[in-house]
Amino acid sequence: MSLDHVRNEIAKVDRDIIALIAKRQELAKRVAAIKIREGIAIHDGRQSQKVLVSVFDRAVESKIDPVAVQKIFEILITMSEERQRECSGDGNLP
Ligand SMILES: C=C(O[C@@H]1C=C(C(=O)O)C=C[C@H]1O)C(=O)O
């Protein structure tokens, strides 16, 4: 298998990852709508910890670096909270 072939495979995976991040961000909009309706804070420390522990465990199962995976998810959680803040009109919720 050539280097170009493997790079094309990587590019396909990268596209899939971006599509999934976009999907996660769409779900953040739905979360924001519920939080606005129910007056719930955007940042939920317990839920974000739950996500970080869960992805750590899955990364261990998948034999990939769990600390690196957690860092990626910290960024995803920040992106989600930023999207939710945009939806809630910046600063309406903590
Ligand atoms: C999506 C939520 O909002 C925030 C973002 C989270 C995430 O991106 O996984 C988790 C907890 C919250 O801080 C949520 O409360 O479920």
Side-chain angles (χ1 to χ4, degrees):
M1 201 184 277
S2 71
L3 179 57
D4 270 356
H5 181 87
V6 183
R7 283 179 176 167
N8 283 334
E9 291 295 302
I10 289 173
K12 272 191 229 161
V13 171
D14 291 347
R15 283 196 291 274
D16 289 348
I17 291 170
I18 290 171
L20 288 171
I21 294 173
K23 190 172 174 186
R24 198 178 197 283
Q25 290 293 84
E26 282 301 312
L27 292 171
K29 285 205 261 180
R30 284 166 56 183
V31 166
I34 295 165
K35 286 181 176 175
I36 291 164
R37 195 181 67 213
E38 300 187 5
I40 298 170
I42 285 170
H43 177 68
D44 183 334
R46 258 178 64 171
Q47 176 63 15
S48 55
Q49 267 311 109
K50 210 169 140 183
V51 172
L52 292 172
V53 169
S54 164
V55 297
F56 186 98
D57 292 346
R58 278 177 188 272
V60 171
E61 277 168 29
S62 302
K63 297 184 172 38
I64 55 173
D65 182 347
V67 175
V69 168
Q70 267 193 337
K71 283 185 192 157
I72 292 168
F73 275 81
E74 277 166 6
I75 293 170
L76 292 175
I77 290 170
T78 301
M79 283 174 65
S80 166
E81 291 180 356
E82 279 170 4
R83 173 61 59 88
Q84 290 177 58
R85 288 202 177 88
E86 282 163 18
C87 295
S88 67
D90 250 350
N92 289 344
L93 290 171

